Amino acid sequence: MFEKVLIANRGEISIRVARALREMGIGSVAVYSEIEREAPHVRAADEAFLLGPAIPAESYLNVEKILEIASTSGAEAIHPGYGFLAENAPFAKAVEKAKITWIGPPPKAIEAMGSKTEARKIMEKAGVPIVPGDTEPVDDVAAAKSKAKEIGYPIAVKAAGGGGGKGFRVAMEESELEDAFEGASREGEKFFSDPTVYLERYLEDPRHVEVQVLADAKGNVIHLGERDCSIQRRHQKLIEESPGPQVDEEMRERIGKIATDAAAAVGYRSAGTVEGLQVGDDYFFLEMNTRVQVEHCVTEMVTGFDIVREQVRIASGEKLSISQEEVELRGHAIECRINAEAAHKKFAPAPGAITTYREPAGPGVRVDSGVEAGSEVTPMYDPMVAKLIVWDADREQATTRMLRALGEYEIEGLKTLIPFHTALLQTEEWAKGDTCHDLLENKAWLKTLAFPKLEKRDDDAPELQTKDYTVEVSGRRFDVKVIGEAFAGAAIASGPSNGAGPAKRGERKKAAAGGGPDLLESPLQGNMWKVLVKEGDEVAEGQLICIIEAMKMENEITAHKAGTIAELPIKEGEAVTAGALLAVIKSE
């Protein structure tokens, strides 16, 4: 078994892995960017090292620096968590080349499943049912239109290297195909360095059901049952549960075999997830995620099985600690993703500083988080604040427990999805086990989830001070406790800053709710990715004006009224703050 493992990630998954390592008696090494020096995941590990600037490409995606730290720290293995480099085959190869153990599947398996077109070919050859469509990429819009006529509308245009909802667009008819093709290709290039796309028949309102698999190097492959992840927005998951509300024992056995056959077909090793679409009694392979999933927690709650611990054991050469016959699903588990998003504003990212933070507790409640009071949820990374997971004897009781836990959760300083989760779990649609797709598209219902205006805080109220400090020596982080009063004018530790120094209460600019009938203002902070109009253009109400990238998501900003673009003070590539003027639209 390993003596020390480097965790090449951040946030709650880094803490999750560090906890598993501590229970196994293994030392842990954390890495962090410059704006996350005070992040909880840094303190959760036994050692911590600075990667570099906040930009992911210069920190959490910096392969050379991560390998350098692994060597310096004496780490024998690297756990990638999820996201960032977790499904990056070249990184896995580089780790193995550096004589460090990769806690994940073989690079060849990552490559096979990383390309969705190749994965479809492999699964089709292995006899695994796939969503109707094509296994070959399409080169341009003309080819896409020709192929779409063969497959039939509606069409899903998907990036070959996509995942997590990225690079996924839908064309309900031919007139929408060009925009869908360009959008999916653009996101594929941006997030996966591959603009290649392919086409599938878009299945309207299917259930998104995935199966957790585990495979060791001894040839043993098992599954741990399914998770239903049908509650999604923009093809990204919001609520997950296990077991699936529409999956019976016969289907569980059938889709479990599909999943283990899929894993065996690529010589899989480690933990992985086979995702599929359930339409009635039919089940189609969608893709395989070659890593631990965000929602692995619900499977752990119903099986009592530690998936991360098993990943480490498998990587060290040990065989699976459980057989298929020993897997038993007990009770029901639900996970709500507590994201920093405003559901009433089309789930717009809502980054900011957390001023008050208190997690729920009690029987059957688990919280996997990477924040605390004073933490900053930054636009640099994804908007997840925490994952709230509950377990109870059945789905109805688990829902009641989740509502109790959501009511106990206190997060102030930024908007989260807690009101959304609370409202949705009390609907008839949820009680019936529906996908709730119509609710998530219901703008009127979502607007009822707007947050009440907060009372203004006293800007002159004294700030809390701490006598705990951190220092860096040659890029390595150390915690230091100073006994005595802080010197006059000392900055108060309140989480990462943006380089302009810590902000006092009340100094943060509040996004304007309006600004006048002609003004189109940004509902969020981010980066101006694309501007689709120019000054002087005539636009219709609802027409796409620009696309703002924030927290790994593209946010389409549309015209709030019809008229002429009188002013357009925005440029592609520039930073945008919440409340900033995007355009002035004058009516005749």
Side-chain angles (χ1 to χ4, degrees):
M1 185 53 70
F2 311 115
E3 292 187 6
K4 187 182 291 187
V5 172
L6 183 143
I7 308 165
N9 218 295
R10 60 175 293 278
E12 61 87 13
I13 187 59
S14 181
I15 295 174
R16 168 72 183 89
V17 175
R19 285 171 171 162
L21 294 174
R22 180 163 289 119
E23 291 175 3
M24 299 176 75
I26 301 172
S28 58
V29 180
V31 291
Y32 59 96
S33 68
E34 289 177 353
I35 64 169
E36 295 199 299
R37 285 187 169 94
E38 298 300 324
H41 83 268
V42 177
R43 301 192 302 274
D46 299 312
E47 301 175 46
F49 290 81
L50 174 67
L51 275 173
I55 302 171
E58 298 180 30
S59 52
Y60 297 108
L61 294 174
N62 189 336
V63 172
E64 185 177 336
K65 185 64 175 178
I66 290 172
L67 293 177
E68 177 189 318
I69 291 173
S71 176
T72 301
S73 66
E76 302 159 273
I78 291 179
H79 193 300
Y82 56 73
F84 293 123
L85 296 166
E87 294 181 281
N88 187 297
F91 177 53
K93 289 179 180 178
V95 170
E96 294 183 346
K97 185 177 181 180
K99 307 299 182 184
I100 299 171
T101 301
W102 169 252
I103 302 180
K108 288 185 178 180
I110 299 176
E111 289 176 336
M113 292 293 103
S115 169
K116 308 311 176 189
T117 51
E118 287 303 309
R120 284 170 59 83
K121 290 178 184 178
I122 293 170
M123 294 302 106
E124 190 174 47
K125 186 176 181 181
V128 174
I130 62 175
V131 177
D134 202 6
T135 56
E136 296 293 337
V138 286
D139 297 327
D140 51 38
V141 175
K145 288 183 177 180
S146 176
K147 183 62 65 176
K149 288 179 180 178
E150 297 177 20
I151 299 172
Y153 286 90
I155 285 289
V157 186
K158 306 178 75 173
K166 305 296 190 302
F168 185 116
R169 298 296 175 95
V170 176
M172 301 304 291
E173 55 188 38
E174 185 174 306
S175 63
E176 299 175 357
L177 186 59
E178 183 172 352
D179 285 345
F181 182 95
E182 292 177 352
S185 180
R186 183 174 66 246
E187 285 195 344
E189 172 67 33
K190 181 170 60 175
F191 293 110
F192 309 103
S193 301
D194 183 1
T196 306
V197 300
Y198 67 99
L199 306 184
E200 281 181 355
R201 167 70 64 81
Y202 178 63
L203 303 177
E204 296 187 69
D205 204 24
R207 303 202 70 86
H208 188 116
V209 178
E210 61 190 31
V211 181
Q212 176 71 60
V213 298
L214 287 164
D216 61 24
K218 315 292 185 183
N220 301 304
V221 185
I222 68 170
H223 71 85
L224 301 179
E226 79 286 348
R227 298 184 286 259
D228 190 302
C229 311
S230 300
I231 310 297
Q232 302 186 13
R233 57 91 178 90
R234 301 180 191 173
H235 310 292
Q236 293 184 322
K237 302 163 188 172
L238 294 170
I239 301 176
E240 302 95 355
E241 58 183 316
S242 181
Q246 305 296 339
V247 176
D248 57 20
E249 287 297 333
E250 183 279 326
M251 174 166 273
R252 181 168 300 114
E253 184 176 348
R254 176 156 51 93
I255 66 178
K257 186 178 187 307
I258 289 174
T260 52
D261 286 351
V266 293
Y268 202 78
R269 185 187 71 240
S270 191
T273 301
V274 173
E275 302 202 11
L277 299 179
Q278 177 189 356
V279 182
D281 292 330
D282 293 326
Y283 187 80
F284 302 102
F285 170 85
L286 183 63
E287 63 184 18
M288 184 173 188
N289 289 306
T290 53
R291 52 174 165 78
V292 66
Q293 290 276 85
V294 175
E295 60 272 19
H296 74 280
C297 316
V298 291
T299 297
E300 292 184 330
M301 297 289 269
V302 296
T303 62
F305 197 72
D306 190 321
I307 294 171
V308 173
R309 181 190 300 166
E310 203 67 13
Q311 280 188 295
V312 177
R313 294 182 71 258
I314 292 169
S316 71
E318 297 183 22
K319 69 175 184 178
L320 291 176
S321 62
I322 189 173
S323 66
Q324 189 65 65
E325 293 71 28
E326 295 174 294
V327 177
E328 182 180 357
L329 275 60
R330 297 179 179 177
H332 200 93
I334 302 171
E335 173 179 289
C336 289
R337 298 195 187 190
I338 311 300
N339 295 342
E341 295 176 348
H344 65 293
K345 292 184 177 180
K346 301 180 181 179
F347 294 94
I354 298 174
T355 55
T356 300
Y357 186 79
R358 187 177 74 87
E359 295 177 349
V365 176
R366 166 178 170 179
V367 181
D368 282 21
S369 68
V371 301
E372 60 191 2
S375 292
E376 180 104 8
V377 180
T378 166
M380 285 291 178
Y381 312 120
D382 68 63
M384 183 180 289
V385 175
K387 302 180 307 193
L388 175 58
I389 312 103
V390 303
W391 177 94
D392 212 323
D394 56 36
R395 189 174 189 265
E396 183 178 355
Q397 293 181 78
T399 299
T400 300
R401 178 161 285 172
M402 176 61 82
L403 288 169
R404 186 267 295 173
L406 287 165
E408 289 182 5
Y409 218 141
E410 294 182 17
I411 305 176
E412 294 182 8
L414 78 174
K415 296 178 175 64
T416 73
L417 292 183
I418 288 177
F420 163 80
H421 290 305
T422 302
L424 186 137
L425 291 176
Q426 296 180 80
T427 63
E428 183 180 350
E429 289 89 341
W430 169 265
K432 292 189 300 183
D434 291 349
T435 62
C436 299
H437 179 264
D438 290 341
L439 269 181
L440 292 169
E441 296 296 324
N442 188 327
K443 295 179 181 178
W445 181 75
L446 290 174
K447 284 184 177 180
T448 66
L449 307 177
F451 284 73
K453 292 184 178 181
L454 299 176
E455 294 182 8
K456 186 177 180 181
R457 289 183 177 271
D458 181 3
D459 291 353
D460 297 323
E463 299 286 345
L464 296 176
Q465 296 190 22
T466 180
K467 296 178 183 177
D468 292 321
Y469 298 88
T470 60
V471 296
E472 285 175 1
V473 179
S474 299
R476 180 175 176 179
R477 179 188 183 282
F478 293 91
D479 295 319
V480 178
K481 184 178 288 294
V482 177
I483 307 300
E485 295 296 323
F487 61 87
I492 296 167
S494 59
S497 72
N498 60 5
K504 291 184 178 180
R505 292 175 183 164
E507 282 186 354
R508 294 186 175 275
K509 184 175 182 283
K510 184 178 180 181
D518 296 339
L519 307 185
L520 176 63
E521 298 176 335
S522 177
L524 72 161
Q525 178 180 340
N527 189 66
M528 185 57 64
W529 175 251
K530 192 173 185 66
V531 180
L532 295 102
V533 296
K534 60 183 183 297
E535 198 168 302
D537 281 357
E538 295 286 333
V539 296
E541 182 179 350
Q543 182 175 332
L544 187 60
I545 301 298
C546 60
I547 300 173
I548 298 176
E549 180 191 357
M551 291 176 154
K552 299 184 179 180
M553 292 190 291
E554 289 188 1
N555 300 271
E556 297 183 345
I557 310 301
T558 57
H560 62 296
K561 58 180 286 189
T564 303
I565 302 291
E567 296 180 34
L568 193 70
I570 53 176
K571 293 182 180 179
E572 293 181 0
E574 291 186 347
V576 179
T577 58
L581 180 65
L582 301 178
V584 176
I585 303 177
K586 295 282 190 181
S587 301
E588 292 184 2

